[in-house]
Amino acid sequence: MKKIIVLSALALTAATMSAQSIIYPKAPKDGTVDTYFGVEVSDPYRPLEADRSQETTAWVEAENKVTNAYLAKIPFRAKLLKRLKEVADFEKVGTPFKKNGKWYVYKNNGLQNQSVLYQMDDLNGTLHEFLDPNKLSDDGTVALQNTSFSKDGKYMAYVISRSGSDWQEIYVMDVATGELLTDHIEWAKFGGPQWCGNGFYYSAYDAPEKGKEFSSKNEVHKVYYHKIGTKQSDDVLFYQNPVHPLRFYSVSVNKDETIMFLYESGAGSGMNLYVRDLRVPNSQFIQMTSNMDLQYSPIETIGDNIYLLTNDGAPRGRVMVADIHKPGFNDWKELIAENKSVLEDVQFADDKLVLTYNQDAATHLYIYSTDGKQLNEIKLPTVGRAYFSSKRGQKECFYGFSSFTVPNSIYQYDIAENKSTLYAAPKVKFDLDKYITQQVFFISKDGTKIPMFLTHKKNLKLNGKNPVLIYGYGGFNVSLPPNFSSMRIPFLENGGIYAQVNLRGGSEYGEEWHTAGTKMQKQNVFDDFISSAEWLITNNFTSKDHIAIMGGSNGGLLIGACMTQRPDLFKVCIPQVGVMDMLRYHKFTIGWNWAPDYGTSEDSKEMFEYLYAYSPLHNLKKGVNYPATLVTTADHDDRVVPAHSFKFAATLQDCQGGTAPVLIRIDSKAGHGSGKPLAKQLEEQADIYGFIMKHLGMKFK
């Protein structure tokens, strides 16, 4: 395909560029029509599902030319990228952790694509580079996903992903020398490595068909055992369950290598848990639980006792203890009961327990004794998000803390003194004291109270004209706590308000809150998000002409659904790597795993009709004035395959009845988002925020 963009004489400047001045590429069509329960549904852009075909490749190249030409003409785009690099250029430090007498910490000097793993002889010792993922590729697209040390400390297995794919590879290095062994595992996914004896367990799928590595349906998850020094072809198949090909299976082994757990998930919102006593020769797995809609997470094993976090019988979570000799759920004993806040995490720290609670979407940390008594609360700097890092029998423990106006800082915590000491704090080139975060509550369509965080300059004027960016997710039991992102800084500096909404479907108020945003209650999520925009308008923060909305993955579905239901309410829409085809999502890679939240078009006539009624792809209408839209996806996204965004963008371009542009940004050598190198993140955010700020009428100072 040749030229794709045609500009009139008046459209040579970014200020006057519009949909009327853009000729969109012609997408491949085949006139496909599917029938669901007697209802015919057109899917004309079905050829775009073949994301490696010649036709699709040509269309992708043509769309990127249109998008790049448009974004390049935003007059402040270069200045915006420069500022994004400036505010991202600060040292980032993770929580230190101890393995076999050595300390390790992840650190990024500022603009490194990937953080480097360093080793120290003691906690405050000299940093020695241990593993630098930046040296694994020239462009930073190989990301370090996980590390796992053998019990004797001789080896470390590390997991990488390439170009953002969910497919993983496992390598093994000698800890003492840093030398790489010949061991190499491919096509691993969602589980491992878990050391036991002279090797490790990992989960994988059979190698996919060539050319369909990032789109074909993943079936029959398998657990293998790899012995150090052998080839992958010699690995022992440890567990599989072909009767249930659409389930995940993985194992974990406690640090003493005395107890093994088998996890089964994918058929509900939770999992089944099985246990095996490795101290008993030829022992078999014993089933502990039997409700795959509930969560069961082992915390620690001490002798015959298994400490677990579960929401079974407690929608907001509780701590229980099981006996390895009577591991069935009915024999578990409650240690710490459910309370009004949501229990998100439990860890041992020396001889105590650290409980992480979510209260109104913010973190609270408490210290408990092993007999279930609350001892202390860890006072956090302000309302924000914290994550704890500790081990049983180790006095040194740490937590990371961040909020919308506080970059992630690391604190060392003294359990005996109940005292926190700052270990590492970043220095951002930005005056954070000029900004404030407030939490508000608004009423959704059905009367439910919904929380929302607003971050903006302290001297904000309620004039009904402030530019606002609303972000949400609303699904899969995922909460959105306060968090810091340097990428938002230029938007805030230039008068923007960042709004983050805690929608139903998340975990902010427990399992009931999650369930209220699933299947035939999914519309609640969209209503919550729409109500947030209406509240901001009613309370004079902004107006319809100054609202941008953004979300990724399930949040991309959120944006797609809201912009098709209320195109009049928003000025700019950024659906990122979104689930846009609700009738076919379960037919690709691991899409079937989302059925507990969404339901599928094959479940029943009623479920099909419900999905069809809000599916973003199927609710675009010819001639409607849609907001300025920038769809984003990537060529290696094998979580939410790019066909979702391809078909949505092609349809939206065809339907657009107004003058606002409809663009799609398709990243190369990138996936769903995890492990994306910083350089790519900065370029992407410059495009996204440049598009948002231009169409909200903002000036870049």
Side-chain angles (χ1 to χ4, degrees):
M1 289 188 173
K2 56 184 223 182
K3 79 81 233 49
I4 326 281
I5 188 159
V6 176
L7 298 176
S8 68
L10 294 176
L12 294 176
T13 64
T16 56
M17 292 176 68
S18 72
Q20 292 178 333
S21 63
I22 299 174
I23 297 177
Y24 297 112
K26 186 177 180 181
K29 301 173 77 171
D30 68 358
T32 296
V33 176
D34 296 316
T35 302
Y36 299 87
F37 301 97
V39 178
E40 291 188 344
V41 178
S42 176
D43 191 8
Y45 296 109
R46 181 70 60 84
L48 289 174
E49 291 183 359
D51 54 9
R52 294 295 187 271
S53 73
Q54 189 174 358
E55 276 188 313
T56 300
T57 300
W59 179 82
V60 166
E61 291 176 357
E63 285 285 357
N64 272 338
K65 284 182 182 179
V66 170
T67 298
N68 292 338
Y70 187 94
L71 297 173
K73 286 183 169 59
I74 295 176
F76 54 80
R77 200 266 183 194
K79 290 182 180 179
L80 175 58
L81 178 59
K82 182 176 181 288
R83 181 58 179 151
L84 284 169
K85 287 180 179 178
E86 289 173 352
V87 294
D89 190 8
F90 62 92
E91 185 179 74
K92 306 160 188 75
V93 180
T95 52
F97 59 96
K98 193 175 185 180
K99 294 288 183 181
N100 306 104
K102 299 283 188 180
W103 282 92
Y104 296 85
V105 67
Y106 286 97
K107 192 175 179 182
N108 189 306
N109 64 16
L111 292 178
Q112 288 175 293
N113 277 319
Q114 306 288 345
S115 294
V116 180
L117 181 60
Y118 291 92
Q119 185 188 72
M120 300 176 287
D121 291 330
D122 54 64
L123 183 55
N124 296 302
T126 303
L127 293 172
H128 303 285
E129 183 183 298
F130 188 67
L131 179 60
D132 184 358
N134 298 290
K135 297 178 180 178
L136 301 178
S137 63
D138 294 333
D139 56 5
T141 55
V142 172
L144 181 62
Q145 298 288 355
N146 187 21
T147 61
S148 179
F149 290 79
S150 60
K151 183 181 178 182
D152 61 10
K154 187 176 180 181
Y155 302 115
M156 183 190 78
Y158 68 88
V159 181
I160 67 163
S161 68
R162 299 184 187 274
S163 301
S165 170
D166 279 340
W167 290 117
Q168 297 181 333
E169 298 175 47
I170 304 173
Y171 292 86
V172 182
M173 65 184 291
D174 186 300
V175 172
T177 66
E179 293 181 2
L180 202 63
L181 278 61
T182 59
D183 304 70
H184 180 211
I185 306 299
E186 295 182 293
W187 306 117
K189 215 175 205 186
F190 309 131
Q194 289 287 323
W195 287 92
C196 190
N198 57 354
F200 56 80
Y201 295 91
Y202 66 93
S203 301
Y205 288 102
D206 291 341
E209 180 183 341
K210 191 166 177 141
K212 296 184 178 180
E213 294 90 344
F214 307 108
S215 59
S216 60
K217 195 173 186 178
N218 297 154
E219 298 181 287
V220 190
H221 208 208
K222 299 176 180 179
V223 181
Y224 290 92
Y225 182 76
H226 175 78
K227 184 179 179 181
I228 293 301
T230 64
K231 297 179 180 179
Q232 183 175 4
S233 58
D234 296 326
D235 290 354
V236 176
L237 177 60
F238 176 73
Y239 187 87
Q240 66 171 332
N241 190 354
V243 175
H244 295 295
L246 303 184
R247 293 187 184 180
F248 299 120
Y249 294 96
S250 61
V251 299
S252 68
V253 180
N254 67 344
K255 65 179 181 179
D256 297 322
E257 298 186 356
T258 58
I259 293 177
M260 174 186 282
F261 296 100
L262 171 68
Y263 306 85
E264 178 184 38
S265 61
S269 299
M271 69 185 73
N272 273 335
L273 186 64
Y274 303 77
V275 67
R276 179 183 172 208
D277 191 341
L278 299 180
R279 298 167 297 185
V280 178
N282 301 316
S283 61
Q284 301 297 310
F285 282 111
I286 300 173
Q287 187 166 351
M288 301 180 72
T289 67
S290 59
N291 190 334
M292 292 184 72
D293 281 324
L294 298 174
Q295 303 284 342
Y296 308 94
S297 302
I299 303 163
E300 187 71 76
T301 58
I302 303 177
D304 291 338
N305 288 330
I306 304 168
Y307 291 77
L308 303 111
L309 167 61
T310 182
N311 62 355
D312 194 339
R316 292 183 298 279
R318 58 176 171 167
V319 180
M320 303 188 77
V321 182
D323 187 323
I324 187 66
H325 302 296
K326 295 186 295 180
F329 178 78
N330 290 337
D331 290 312
W332 295 11
K333 307 297 182 186
E334 184 176 87
L335 179 66
I336 302 173
E338 175 187 36
N339 69 33
K340 63 180 181 179
S341 300
V342 178
L343 182 55
E344 292 189 325
D345 184 53
V346 183
Q347 295 185 39
F348 270 81
D350 196 11
D351 60 347
K352 304 291 192 300
L353 287 165
V354 181
L355 275 64
T356 302
Y357 281 98
N358 179 328
Q359 182 178 326
D360 289 331
T363 300
H364 294 259
L365 298 174
Y366 297 91
I367 305 297
Y368 278 73
S369 64
T370 53
D371 60 0
K373 295 179 181 177
Q374 183 180 319
L375 303 176
N376 288 304
E377 179 179 2
I378 301 175
K379 296 296 183 183
L380 299 176
T382 184
V383 174
R385 171 183 178 265
Y387 59 94
F388 214 83
S389 176
S390 60
K391 289 199 307 187
R392 184 169 68 91
Q394 178 180 301
K395 291 187 180 299
E396 302 95 342
C397 51
F398 300 84
Y399 63 88
F401 175 84
S402 64
S403 74
F404 295 109
T405 57
V406 178
N408 190 54
S409 303
I410 307 302
Y411 291 83
Q412 186 169 358
Y413 178 68
D414 186 317
I415 299 177
E417 299 294 327
N418 188 28
K419 182 181 178 182
S420 299
T421 305
L422 188 63
Y423 178 81
K427 297 178 181 178
V428 184
K429 301 179 182 74
F430 175 56
D431 190 352
L432 299 166
D433 291 334
K434 292 182 178 179
Y435 299 83
I436 189 172
T437 295
Q438 58 176 313
Q439 187 176 38
V440 299
F441 293 83
F442 62 88
I443 302 302
S444 189
K445 183 177 181 180
D446 65 353
T448 302
K449 187 167 74 169
I450 310 294
M452 174 168 61
F453 291 104
L454 303 177
T455 302
H456 51 76
K457 287 183 177 179
K458 289 182 178 178
N459 60 355
L460 179 77
K461 295 180 180 178
L462 297 181
N463 58 12
K465 298 178 182 179
N466 295 297
V468 174
L469 172 59
I470 311 176
Y471 186 87
Y473 187 78
F476 297 94
N477 238 338
V478 174
S479 68
L480 285 186
N483 66 88
F484 180 81
S485 172
S486 66
M487 305 297 182
R488 300 185 201 120
I489 288 176
F491 178 75
L492 294 172
E493 285 179 325
N494 288 278
I497 300 173
Y498 175 71
Q500 185 167 293
V501 196
N502 297 105
L503 309 164
R504 280 176 283 185
S507 64
E508 285 85 350
Y509 296 103
E511 182 56 26
E512 291 128 334
W513 191 257
H514 166 230
T515 303
T518 63
K519 293 187 175 177
M520 290 192 183
Q521 299 186 90
K522 187 68 178 176
Q523 184 60 41
N524 286 336
V525 183
F526 313 139
D527 290 341
D528 293 350
F529 198 69
I530 289 168
S531 296
S532 74
E534 292 174 334
W535 185 91
L536 287 164
I537 294 170
T538 300
N539 287 273
N540 216 30
F541 281 89
T542 191
S543 68
K544 292 179 179 181
D545 289 334
H546 298 92
I547 298 177
I549 57 175
M550 181 164 66
S553 194
N554 174 71
L557 161 63
L558 169 72
I559 303 308
C562 289
M563 67 178 285
T564 53
Q565 293 181 16
R566 289 294 308 275
D568 63 302
L569 187 57
F570 314 109
K571 187 71 172 179
V572 187
C573 298
I574 314 289
Q576 301 173 287
V577 294
V579 186
M580 300 304 199
D581 184 345
M582 297 307 297
L583 302 186
R584 288 176 57 78
Y585 75 84
H586 56 293
K587 296 181 179 293
F588 305 99
T589 62
I590 56 141
W592 45 263
N593 181 51
W594 313 330
D597 249 53
Y598 296 151
T600 77
S601 57
E602 299 170 357
D603 289 348
S604 66
K605 184 175 184 291
E606 291 73 21
M607 193 72 248
F608 155 69
E609 290 173 344
Y610 193 87
L611 292 168
Y612 192 32
Y614 77 76
S615 177
L617 176 64
H618 300 96
N619 282 276
L620 292 167
K621 295 178 174 61
K622 191 86 170 177
V624 171
N625 289 1
Y626 288 104
T629 304
L630 177 61
V631 180
T632 69
T633 187
D635 62 354
H636 281 66
D637 189 348
D638 48 359
R639 185 81 58 84
V640 179
V641 295
H644 283 278
S645 295
F646 290 175
K647 294 198 296 182
F648 182 76
T651 306
L652 182 57
Q653 287 174 349
D654 182 60
C655 288
Q656 176 64 299
T659 60
V662 173
L663 306 176
I664 179 168
R665 186 186 190 278
I666 305 154
D667 211 345
S668 61
K669 296 188 72 176
H672 199 58
S674 175
K676 182 176 289 190
L678 181 60
K680 277 185 171 289
Q681 292 181 49
L682 290 167
E683 289 285 348
E684 180 182 44
Q685 294 303 312
D687 287 343
I688 289 173
Y689 277 99
F691 188 82
I692 289 171
M693 293 172 71
K694 167 186 159 42
H695 287 284
L696 292 186
M698 300 173 68
K699 294 180 180 179
F700 187 85
K701 298 177 183 178

